[in-house]
Amino acid sequence: MNTTSPISARVDETTLKDLDRLAEELDRSRSWLVAQAVREYVKRETEFLEFVKIGEDEIENGDFHTQDEMEAWLEERISKRAGKEAS
């Protein structure tokens, strides 16, 4: 069974009014909306941190391209495309 725990947060009056208006429109409780928002935020930020960690690991292992290498690659692609369009 999934258990829940209460938390509290302080928000400004405008945000609280908007939250209440949204809860009424969606026929959901304020608590439900806040829980959804927290869940989505935590998921998004966790995924981002995992993405950053993968990049850091790749850099540590030498699996990366320098700025100069990427610029040269991009210029080559642009040149090839320009050549195809001129044909």
Side-chain angles (χ1 to χ4, degrees), residues 4-5 25 52 61 76-77 80 87:
T4 61
S5 299
E25 280 291 320
V52 169
N61 293 328
E76 181 183 341
R77 294 199 35 106
K80 284 181 181 178
S87 299

Side-chain angles (χ1 to χ4, degrees), residues 25-77:
E25 280 291 320
L26 296 175
D27 195 26
R28 294 289 190 169
S29 68
R30 180 193 292 174
S31 177
W32 186 89
L33 290 176
V34 170
Q36 284 292 108
V38 169
R39 236 185 326 273
E40 289 178 23
Y41 174 80
V42 169
K43 181 179 185 283
R44 183 181 68 236
E45 293 301 310
T46 300
E47 288 173 351
F48 177 73
L49 290 176
E50 289 170 357
F51 176 74
V52 169
K53 176 70 171 116
I54 290 168
E56 290 172 339
D57 290 345
E58 288 174 349
I59 290 169
E60 191 173 307
N61 293 328
D63 187 17
F64 65 93
H65 298 283
T66 66
Q67 178 75 25
D68 289 339
E69 290 170 334
M70 290 305 299
E71 288 176 4
W73 175 81
L74 185 57
E75 286 298 322
E76 181 183 341
R77 294 199 35 106

